[in-house]
Amino acid sequence: MYLPAQFVNAYVDLFTWILDGSDWSFTGTPILHYLQSGKKPQSPNAQLAHQRFMSRLAQVDPKFTTAKTFNYNDYDYINLSIRRCFIGKACPWEIQETLQLASELGLTNPDTVYKYCSDNLGVDCGGFVAAYWGEGVPHMADTQPVGSLGFLPRTFWSDSHLWPDVRARRRKSAGEISPGDAAIFFKDIKGDDPDIAKQRDSSGTLIEGTGSEAFHIGLVNSVSGGGDKITQLEIAESSGAASKFGSDGVNVRFATIQSSGIAKGLIYAQTGANERIYFLGPPAGWGPELPYTYGEE
């Protein structure tokens, strides 16, 4: 099985063919940072970088900026995949394709691409999980799939319109939890029921005491325990917290488990006074969207 920790490394150890004058250089292009809409400094940097990218693309052919797909130098590109790179949703191969094109457009080169990635690119928590499961990723056969602009943690947990079997995939005991499952972080659980969502007032402010917030999502990399006891839990994720790679994005870590149990028929790990992790198996047909030539170079 291709473990979530390996998928973390697919971002951290990403290599891309970057144009160097008239030659191509297989260059390290690590994606280390967390990129979430509105979160400074990465999000505004990414927005400006996307604007520059599309402006340069328009100089080649204005139609390229509005077409769903286009062909440049005998290579097919999906416009939405380019955009996803600058909003924290892209899988590794989308980033490779976008960086390859960026180098052809003169926006980066082998000497500057590390800084280009560090300043402008990244992945958020939902983008990381969706890319691992193969959900919402555009392909030439379907250039605008549902979820291509992102899924919220609660969407993964409860959207039965997207996934009719979503409730059946919720884990009910520690022994059911497997590597590749989603680990969904909730706070302020009301009545032991994560499905009671926190409400908002007329101004959009969350109302305390009305329910839970699903505030983060990661992937189970390894787990120990049985019955209602989770004794050890390793999480692969992308978050705004410091990672072992010296950044604030993709990471693998062991969760601090204060206790665990089963409530309303669902297994959970208590990680704080008002915080719990619940678990959800992947949908049928899932599989990670891997980078090109991964493990071959």
Side-chain angles (χ1 to χ4, degrees):
M1 179 184 180
Y2 191 87
L3 290 171
Q6 293 173 279
F7 200 57
V8 166
N9 289 334
Y11 284 94
V12 172
D13 298 328
L14 193 66
F15 272 72
T16 304
W17 288 106
I18 300 296
L19 190 63
D20 185 10
S22 59
D23 296 321
W24 289 96
S25 173
F26 199 59
T27 307
T29 54
I31 306 302
L32 301 173
H33 290 290
Y34 185 68
L35 173 54
Q36 183 186 49
S37 177
K39 183 175 175 61
K40 296 180 179 180
Q42 207 71 357
S43 181
N45 287 348
Q47 290 180 29
L48 289 173
H50 184 241
Q51 292 171 10
R52 288 192 292 267
F53 191 108
M54 300 310 288
S55 177
R56 191 65 59 87
L57 189 61
Q59 293 175 22
V60 176
D61 189 333
K63 294 191 295 294
F64 287 174
T65 64
T66 56
K68 290 183 179 180
T69 67
F70 60 91
N71 184 281
Y72 181 65
N73 286 347
D74 296 323
Y75 202 95
D76 291 324
Y77 293 94
I78 302 170
N79 242 320
L80 184 53
S81 283
I82 295 170
R83 181 183 175 190
R84 281 163 50 87
C85 292
F86 298 99
I87 60 172
K89 310 302 180 185
C91 70
W93 66 258
E94 290 178 292
I95 295 169
Q96 287 176 310
E97 289 188 351
T98 299
L99 288 173
Q100 175 183 305
L101 181 55
S103 72
E104 292 188 89
L105 295 175
L107 293 166
T108 191
N109 59 52
D111 293 329
T112 63
V113 72
Y114 182 96
K115 188 175 189 303
Y116 188 90
C117 294
S118 181
D119 288 350
N120 304 313
L121 303 183
V123 64
D124 67 14
C125 64
F128 176 76
V129 173
Y132 180 77
W133 279 2
E135 294 289 308
V137 179
H139 290 272
M140 294 302 290
D142 183 4
T143 59
Q144 293 182 300
V146 174
S148 55
L149 295 180
F151 301 104
L152 296 172
R154 190 173 290 279
T155 305
F156 284 101
W157 176 250
S158 61
D159 195 327
S160 58
H161 295 290
L162 287 177
W163 300 292
D165 66 338
V166 66
R167 289 179 177 271
R169 291 188 279 112
R170 295 177 177 181
R171 300 312 194 193
K172 300 174 179 61
S173 69
E176 290 185 357
I177 303 169
S178 300
D181 285 0
I184 302 176
F185 293 65
F186 291 85
K187 64 180 178 181
D188 302 333
I189 300 288
K190 182 177 182 178
D192 279 329
D193 190 349
D195 285 325
I196 302 174
K198 189 170 289 186
Q199 302 299 302
R200 295 180 183 270
D201 62 21
S202 58
S203 65
T205 303
L206 291 168
I207 304 171
E208 291 298 322
T210 59
S212 68
E213 295 176 53
F215 67 92
H216 180 54
I217 186 170
L219 293 163
V220 175
N221 191 65
S222 65
V223 61
S224 300
D228 63 351
K229 301 296 182 185
I230 300 171
T231 55
Q232 191 174 74
L233 177 64
E234 187 181 26
I235 300 290
E237 63 186 355
S238 186
S239 78
S243 80
K244 68 177 185 179
F245 302 104
S247 59
D248 60 353
V250 290
N251 193 30
V252 183
R253 65 179 176 90
F254 284 96
T256 301
I257 301 174
Q258 296 182 352
S259 63
S260 60
I262 295 173
K264 302 289 185 180
L266 300 173
I267 184 73
Y268 66 86
Q270 191 83 25
T271 57
N274 297 307
E275 293 184 3
R276 288 179 179 178
I277 302 173
Y278 286 82
F279 304 90
L280 180 74
W286 71 279
E289 296 276 356
L290 299 176
Y292 299 125
T293 69
Y294 186 70
E296 298 176 5
E297 298 290 337

